[in-house]
Amino acid sequence: MTQLWDFRGGVHPAEHKDLSTARPIRCAGIPERLVLPLQQHIGEPAEAIVKVGDRVLKGQKIADIGTGVGVPVHAPTSGVIESIADYPVPHPSGMSDRCITLKPDGEDQWCPRHPISDYRALERDQVLQIIREAGISGMGGAGFPTNIKLRPPRDRKVSTLILNGAECEPYITADDMTMREKADQVIAGLKIMAWILRPERCVIGIEDNKPQAIAALRIATEGTQTEIAVIPTKYPSGGEKQLIRILTGMEVPSGGIPADIGVMCQNIGTAVAVANAVLEGTPLIARVVTITGEAVREPGNVEALLGTPIEYLLQQAGVQQEKLSRLVLGGPMMGYTLTTEAVPVIKTTNCVIAATARELPTPPPEQPCIRCGECAAACPMDLLPQQLFWYAKATEFEKAEHLNLFDCIECGACSYVCPSSIPLVQYYRFAKGEIRVQRAEQLKADRARERFEARRARLEREQEEKELRRKERAKAAAEAEARKKAEAEQVAADGEAVDERSAKAALVEQALARKKAKTEASRPQPAADSAEDKPDLEALEKQLSQAQSKLETMQGMLDEAKAQQADNVDKLERAVAKNLDRVKRAEDALAETRDKLAARPTESQSNP
Amino acid sequence: MAFVQQSSPHARNARPTSRVMLWVMIATLPGLVAQTLFFGWGNLINVVFCIAVAVAAEAAMLRLRKKPVAFFIRDNTAAVTGLLLGLSLSQFTPWWVSVVAVISAIVVAKQLYGGLGSNPFNPAMVGYALVLVSFPVAMTTNWAEPALLWQGAPGFGETLVTITSGQQTAVDGWTMATPLDEYKHKITTHTAAEVLTHPTFGEGIARGWEWVNAAFLAGGLGLMALRIISWHIPAGFLGGLILMSLAFGSNADLYTPLSLHLLAGGTMLGAFFIATDPVSAATSHQGKLVYGTGIGILIYLIRTWGNYPDAVAFSVLLMNFAVPFIDHYTPPRTYGHHKARRGVPGNQG
């Protein structure tokens, strides 16, 4: 029996999974139009390699990635490219993005495929290339390109490969049904990934509320080394960090990736996609989506082509528009609401909940926090949600960051249990967003300062060089003059041509003097910027004192962190450096202004 | 089609504050029944009166502060404060003393600090401590003589008249020192066996008091079973008290024995209903243990060497002072970090 560990916190929301497990996975068929966003995952968007009006075959690559992190997009069926334009895409903001629209011709005609029966005969890089070309990105949540994930840094050996079949979010059953019906493909995909990574241990983690999936996988893994780890049902066991903790007892270091501790997690759907790509030569053009909620008559799982509008799937499932109040993409704990049904299924779409108002009621108004600590008890990351909430609300972001705000996985367990119905996760998202903006601005400011300093250094250098050249020229001229004088004297002594020559020498001398004057005049005026608006000494002094007090605070925090050997020392050091800069700049500005003020009267006298 | 736009999580399963408070009130019922049975109608009248005054004071303050009155009244927190005061005050406390206690609890300790969630001190205990130091005679001489309701405890009418009239003439005949007081004062000159002959101790540990404490214990365990309170504060509270009692008071001829510490006075009411007030208690599990233990230790110190008889109120208030400090030093270690990050300089939350 596999040894299991527990993680602190977690909640037990009502599962609602039986809604969508009553029927086997159905095929959604081909809708009238397919909308394929060019960006369906983390990383760079792909670029269209087809034109409007092109006829494409099923499985044909229609968009590819030039450089950077990303994967190509393929035509889910044969048809004609109708447009390449902006359409609403699945995103919490309800934004639009560039999409390729495909009008299916109904023939569903495949492009040539190249199945590989014995991938072991290939190089590992070739298999990774097949996975990339098939357009596979993680099908669980964020959607990181699978071929890149399967190639961990050279110094990181993956010793444990985890297949994440926990599926801890309520309502979602896509992975459950996939494991039940396609256990062999799941295991085939796992084997391919295991062959690439050569881990010492392969383990599939499944929550104990999926007995049929467990049974199916047990049969499929009979006689192999793959472990089936049945884990207790608790949300968020399917969170990567939590699952790793449950199955290995190890924790992913903050800010690190699982590969840092020799672990990799892959999603069930991803495994199936890998198996299809390698063994059948099929790119990722369809996925299993759970259509559920009390507003649909026939909830269940469907195999939908990527690009299928959600609307089409809802209609197939018998949506009752008059009952539908909230449309959630993903699970009820971490999913987001849709503004329109027109968005398409993409590679990461695992569930659509058409909820009635009774099912997912609007939360009661926010009440004051009574410090009950339920949120801290529920937090699977052992954060202090309550303190984070206060700091986020007070926009004291540095303190929130100090309390490990960025370790929050936004699982929503804290909000779920909050008796005061405070939307805690939203506060954390707000704080994280603000901090990211501040960081970007800081980066920009740093760059600008570096540029400015580089420019100043260059100007100074040029000035010095000019000065040097001028001196050399002057010296040379003086020497020449001396020589000429000597010559002239000699010539004078010689007689005849004296006058003529001395006249020439005088001319040269004059020319030199002119040139010198010109050089002098062309030098930049250092006091040219003195005509600025009236400097405000008081404001600058205030700025300086503020910056100084902030620096002291940060220094204090840093000292304390250092004393405790906390792991945020470098973060704080950065903050201290930043504040040091700020103080210096303020001092400079102040000194400059003072100089200016002192210089002003004389200046105005000299230049009336 | 306009859909509801909402940030995740969409599912919620929280017990609203109002229901938590309602459960707290229900859980005090066994204790209230026991008090009524053993000490007469006094506490019941106090409870009803204090709740009414508390709710009225809260409503008035909310109105003055221009807050939604109905919205906040419905959270039941004012009623709980009134209830706890009603349970803690002695049976024949004159009505105006109760009013002063409730008003200072709701108006000063709660609303003037910013209302629900913002009060650093336990409102009920602030009210209690205030009247205790202001009216020591009224507060300490009004404890009913333990007698079963049907065996000579003053009737409802007599009790009501005593409380409302302000004429405490009849009181002397019905009251006596509390067992903890009695023991503490007599043990300096008597042996334990002699002290225990006093009628307040009865046959068992402390006549009537033991049942009241047992009933509050039962209610408190119920709250724990319902996961409304965690075990940490009561365990720390009782643990601290037991520890101190074993360390210092093993000789019953010198110090109050452990059984009396646990089952006389307001021990169980304090451990399960008063110290567990989330607003003014520590937040993390570790912090709650420290907080509870601190209260337990202070109770022993005050009961044994202090001058005022009501240790629970003072101990809870003293530990309320320490809460920011405790919270500062008891954060959990975050997943993926080597060690806990203690507090934030300049602001201890």
Side-chain angles (χ1 to χ4, degrees):
Chain A
M1 206 64 238
T2 311
Q3 190 191 347
L4 298 178
W5 283 263
D6 191 16
F7 66 90
R8 287 242 332 242
V11 291
H12 295 93
E15 291 175 18
H16 298 291
K17 296 214 184 216
D18 43 352
L19 274 179
S20 51
T21 52
R23 296 175 187 77
I25 300 174
R26 289 170 293 177
C27 186
I30 304 171
E32 212 169 289
R33 221 164 243 96
L34 292 167
V35 181
L36 296 145
L38 291 173
Q39 181 161 32
Q40 305 192 13
H41 49 72
I42 284 178
E44 308 290 320
E47 275 168 40
I49 52 171
V50 288
K51 293 189 300 296
V52 174
D54 284 0
R55 180 165 191 273
V56 293
L57 295 176
K58 182 176 188 172
Q60 184 183 329
K61 205 198 283 182
I62 56 172
D64 203 353
I65 191 97
T67 50
V69 173
V71 287
V73 180
H74 301 80
T77 183
S78 60
V80 178
I81 303 296
E82 204 175 53
S83 74
I84 302 174
D86 283 0
Y87 277 95
V89 291
H91 192 272
S93 69
M95 68 173 193
S96 294
D97 200 6
R98 192 119 297 224
C99 300
I100 298 177
T101 324
L102 175 69
K103 179 141 181 72
D105 56 14
E107 284 168 31
D108 210 23
Q109 188 186 350
W110 272 102
C111 68
R113 284 178 285 173
H114 308 285
I116 288 156
S117 50
D118 186 14
Y119 57 85
R120 287 184 174 80
L122 298 178
E123 292 286 320
R124 282 179 169 75
D125 277 353
Q126 284 175 300
V127 176
L128 285 170
Q129 189 60 22
I130 291 170
I131 292 171
R132 180 200 178 278
E133 283 299 308
I136 302 175
S137 59
M139 289 164 76
F144 193 76
T146 302
N147 65 306
I148 298 175
K149 190 168 173 182
L150 281 172
R151 204 199 304 252
R154 286 205 175 279
D155 56 332
R156 299 272 188 271
K157 165 94 179 82
V158 171
S159 52
T160 307
L161 175 61
I162 294 174
L163 209 52
N164 187 347
E167 201 167 46
C168 59
E169 274 247 22
Y171 284 99
I172 311 180
T173 55
D175 287 352
D176 184 4
M177 296 308 285
T178 305
M179 288 187 281
R180 289 190 202 184
E181 296 183 22
K182 301 179 181 180
D184 289 332
Q185 274 161 282
V186 172
I187 301 306
L190 176 65
K191 277 183 183 160
I192 295 171
M193 293 193 278
W195 176 77
I196 293 168
L197 296 164
R198 287 183 262 210
E200 287 149 28
R201 182 181 171 211
C202 280
V203 48
I204 308 177
I206 315 178
E207 279 194 345
D208 57 11
N209 60 357
K210 304 176 185 62
Q212 285 170 278
I214 294 164
L217 284 182
R218 280 206 202 286
I219 294 167
T221 53
E222 224 159 72
T224 68
Q225 295 284 309
T226 306
E227 297 168 45
I228 309 280
V230 180
I231 62 175
T233 299
K234 174 161 104 170
Y235 177 85
S237 296
E240 188 176 65
K241 292 180 173 178
Q242 279 64 44
L243 188 62
I244 288 171
R245 161 94 192 141
I246 294 170
L247 297 179
T248 68
M250 293 189 286
E251 291 182 3
V252 182
S254 172
I257 56 167
D260 294 342
I261 50 167
V263 183
M264 182 179 295
C265 263
Q266 293 284 359
N267 174 262
I268 294 291
T270 314
V272 174
V274 166
N276 288 342
V278 176
L279 305 175
E280 322 241 325
T282 336
L284 180 55
I285 52 169
R287 68 157 296 146
V288 179
V289 184
T290 306
I291 306 292
T292 183
E294 283 171 13
V296 291
R297 268 190 223 96
E298 289 180 37
N301 283 277
V302 291
E303 175 114 29
L305 294 179
L306 300 184
T308 306
I310 302 289
E311 199 173 7
Y312 174 83
L313 298 178
L314 286 174
Q315 272 162 14
Q316 279 197 337
V319 67
Q320 295 157 288
Q321 289 288 356
E322 68 286 355
K323 280 187 171 181
L324 176 57
S325 103
R326 197 185 311 193
L327 200 55
V328 179
L329 199 70
M333 296 300 284
M334 292 184 77
Y336 49 86
T337 48
L338 291 177
T339 47
T340 163
E341 305 160 292
V343 300
V345 169
I346 59 169
K347 291 173 184 177
T348 52
T349 309
N350 53 3
C351 181
V352 178
I353 307 173
T356 61
R358 194 177 56 92
E359 196 177 5
L360 296 180
T362 315
E366 183 179 332
Q367 280 175 290
C369 169
I370 55 165
R371 298 169 32 95
C372 65
E374 294 277 333
C375 49
C379 181
M381 297 300 284
D382 266 335
L383 293 163
L384 292 169
Q386 184 188 302
Q387 273 86 336
L388 288 175
F389 155 66
W390 286 331
Y391 292 139
K393 199 170 178 177
T395 65
E396 294 184 280
F397 300 127
E398 267 160 7
K399 286 172 185 166
E401 224 182 322
H402 184 79
L403 288 180
N404 306 324
L405 171 67
F406 279 92
D407 285 300
C408 170
I409 56 169
E410 298 182 19
C411 68
C414 50
S415 306
Y416 179 79
V417 298
C418 179
S420 299
S421 150
I422 301 170
L424 292 160
V425 184
Q426 196 152 323
Y427 281 100
Y428 310 146
R429 288 195 187 115
F430 159 71
K432 284 182 185 176
E434 290 292 304
I435 292 170
R436 287 198 188 104
V437 168
Q438 280 179 6
R439 275 187 193 161
E441 272 169 10
Q442 179 61 35
L443 205 67
K444 234 158 77 183
D446 284 348
R447 293 236 175 92
R449 202 185 62 241
E450 276 165 24
R451 267 203 308 275
F452 171 74
E453 276 165 7
R455 180 169 171 273
R456 205 170 54 187
R458 179 171 56 81
L459 288 178
E460 271 171 17
R461 205 179 55 236
E462 281 175 4
Q463 195 55 50
E464 273 169 21
E465 281 167 5
K466 231 178 210 170
E467 187 77 3
L468 207 67
R469 276 200 302 275
R470 192 181 63 80
K471 274 183 187 155
E472 273 169 9
R473 271 200 307 273
K475 206 172 140 199
E479 273 169 13
E481 204 177 336
R483 210 167 42 239
K484 263 173 202 160
K485 232 178 200 168
E487 270 172 24
E489 270 165 21
Q490 209 179 356
V491 170
D494 286 355
E496 267 310 331
V498 176
D499 284 350
E500 212 174 313
R501 276 196 190 170
S502 66
K504 235 180 211 171
L507 275 176
V508 169
E509 210 169 305
Q510 270 167 16
L512 276 172
R514 269 205 305 278
K515 194 160 187 191
K516 190 175 166 188
K518 216 172 173 182
T519 324
E520 218 98 282
S522 73
R523 278 175 64 181
Q525 296 285 313
D529 55 347
S530 62
E532 274 172 15
D533 46 352
K534 203 178 175 202
D536 191 350
L537 260 185
E538 250 171 59
L540 282 168
E541 268 163 8
K542 205 165 141 201
Q543 234 171 25
L544 175 63
S545 72
Q546 270 171 359
Q548 271 167 340
S549 74
K550 191 140 191 210
L551 173 65
E552 271 162 35
T553 316
M554 295 313 297
Q555 190 66 48
M557 280 170 77
L558 175 62
D559 290 344
E560 184 164 333
K562 268 185 177 161
Q564 289 175 13
Q565 300 185 331
D567 35 18
N568 63 334
V569 168
D570 53 350
K571 215 183 282 170
L572 284 170
E573 269 173 351
R574 272 205 307 281
V576 168
K578 188 172 95 185
N579 281 300
L580 205 60
D581 274 359
R582 209 174 275 161
V583 171
K584 212 173 269 168
R585 254 178 286 153
E587 276 171 356
D588 285 352
L590 192 61
E592 202 175 297
T593 317
R594 282 198 177 126
D595 286 354
K596 231 178 258 172
L597 279 183
R600 188 154 277 191
T602 53
E603 223 167 70
S604 57
Q605 274 165 14
S606 60
N607 303 324
Chain B
M1 182 81 215
F3 302 120
V4 172
Q5 296 300 304
Q6 193 82 51
S7 117
S8 68
H10 306 283
R12 277 173 191 279
N13 185 29
R15 264 183 300 219
T17 307
S18 57
R19 203 175 316 155
V20 169
M21 293 299 153
L22 197 64
W23 274 113
V24 170
M25 290 201 265
I26 292 169
T28 58
L29 286 181
L32 182 59
V33 169
Q35 279 184 331
T36 310
L37 280 179
F38 287 97
F39 298 104
W41 297 100
N43 283 116
L44 194 59
I45 296 169
N46 275 349
V47 162
V48 174
F49 181 64
C50 288
I51 290 180
V53 176
V55 172
E58 174 108 332
M61 280 309 281
L62 288 168
R63 180 145 203 159
L64 278 174
R65 294 180 61 215
K66 298 186 173 58
K67 301 270 174 187
V69 177
F71 176 75
F72 280 104
I73 288 290
R74 270 201 297 265
D75 65 26
N76 291 336
T77 49
V80 167
T81 302
L83 169 74
L84 292 177
L85 272 171
L87 293 171
S88 323
L89 293 170
S90 57
Q91 288 77 12
F92 302 113
T93 306
W95 68 272
W96 50 272
V97 172
S98 301
V99 169
V100 172
V102 174
I103 299 269
S104 47
I106 297 289
V107 175
V108 181
K110 186 175 173 190
Q111 291 294 337
L112 290 188
Y113 274 99
L116 177 62
S118 306
N119 48 302
F121 304 108
N122 187 319
M125 289 303 102
V126 169
Y128 189 92
L130 187 98
V131 290
L132 180 66
V133 294
S134 309
F135 315 112
V137 179
M139 286 294 289
T140 51
T141 57
N142 283 316
W143 289 99
E145 182 182 351
L148 287 173
L149 198 54
W150 57 91
Q151 287 176 359
F156 182 81
E158 284 170 296
T159 314
L160 191 62
V161 166
T162 311
I163 290 172
T164 51
S165 68
Q167 298 258 335
Q168 302 272 318
T169 45
V171 166
D172 283 354
W174 305 329
T175 57
M176 55 171 38
T178 64
L180 282 168
D181 243 7
E182 186 68 26
Y183 202 97
K184 181 176 162 186
H185 288 121
K186 286 268 176 68
I187 201 68
T188 47
T189 48
H190 297 69
T191 64
E194 285 167 347
V195 174
L196 288 174
T197 56
H198 190 272
T200 186
F201 298 104
E203 298 291 308
I205 297 156
R207 187 150 63 104
W209 293 86
E210 63 214 359
W211 290 105
V212 171
N213 272 287
F216 279 122
L217 172 65
L221 293 176
L223 279 188
M224 241 189 247
L226 286 168
R227 296 178 151 271
I228 283 172
I229 56 172
S230 72
W231 58 269
H232 302 82
I233 291 177
F237 184 115
L238 299 177
L241 189 57
I242 291 169
L243 212 73
M244 289 296 282
S245 194
L246 293 179
F248 292 98
S250 51
N251 186 350
D253 286 329
L254 287 174
Y255 294 107
T256 315
L258 176 59
S259 54
L260 264 182
H261 271 300
L262 291 181
L263 292 173
T267 308
M268 294 301 169
L269 177 66
F272 290 92
F273 295 93
I274 289 168
T276 50
D277 163 38
V279 178
S280 54
T283 46
S284 69
H285 287 332
Q286 203 191 340
K288 282 178 179 168
L289 265 178
V290 174
Y291 173 78
T293 311
I295 294 176
I297 291 172
L298 281 174
I299 286 178
Y300 188 85
L301 295 177
I302 294 174
R303 277 184 183 170
T304 311
W305 293 290
N307 273 332
Y308 271 103
D310 283 86
V312 174
F314 292 123
S315 306
V316 168
L317 289 175
L318 281 172
M319 287 312 285
N320 284 165
F321 276 106
V323 159
F325 179 78
I326 296 172
D327 280 347
H328 191 78
Y329 283 99
T330 52
R333 179 190 66 91
T334 306
Y335 177 108
H337 287 258
H338 289 299
K339 54 204 299 190
R341 191 171 286 174
R342 306 224 184 273
V344 180
N347 188 338
Q348 309 194 343

